[in-house]
Amino acid sequence: TTAMMCGYSEITQQLHVEGFFDICIDLFFYYKWNNFLHTHVDQILSSFLSCGDDGLIIAVLESTQLPQRIIQNFSREDIG
């Protein structure tokens, strides 16, 4: 997260290419009661979203389907 916060866009881009953010989001939703994991994924995403590269942010949000997954899981929790 430090590299992302310091503005090293090449590192952030490579993390996206390697599927790092996809894995983080998958783990976040798979282990829904793991607060330790959620805290770290939250820190990673917060650092990433402040990187300033709008194109990369959109690419990651699309590849992870984060907005859709949040809505989907919120709806399930609300119903059940």
Side-chain angles (χ1 to χ4, degrees):
T1 59
T2 303
M4 286 186 279
M5 290 172 41
C6 291
Y8 293 107
S9 60
E10 299 84 15
I11 293 173
T12 307
Q13 177 66 37
Q14 193 60 37
L15 290 172
H16 171 56
V17 169
E18 296 295 329
F20 174 76
F21 297 109
D22 297 305
I23 293 168
C24 286
I25 298 302
D26 288 344
L27 291 172
F28 184 89
F29 286 104
Y30 186 78
Y31 296 104
K32 68 180 190 175
W33 298 111
N34 190 326
N35 292 332
F36 181 78
L37 172 69
H38 288 188
T39 298
H40 288 286
V41 172
D42 177 55
Q43 289 174 348
I44 290 166
L45 289 178
S46 294
S47 297
F48 166 70
L49 291 172
S50 65
C51 77
D53 187 340
D54 292 341
L56 182 58
I57 291 170
I58 291 169
V60 169
L61 290 177
E62 288 175 350
S63 73
T64 61
Q65 298 180 349
L66 182 59
Q68 297 91 333
R69 292 176 81 174
I70 291 171
I71 292 168
Q72 200 175 42
N73 281 278
F74 181 75
S75 298
R76 281 190 204 142
E77 292 295 323
D78 203 28
I79 294 170

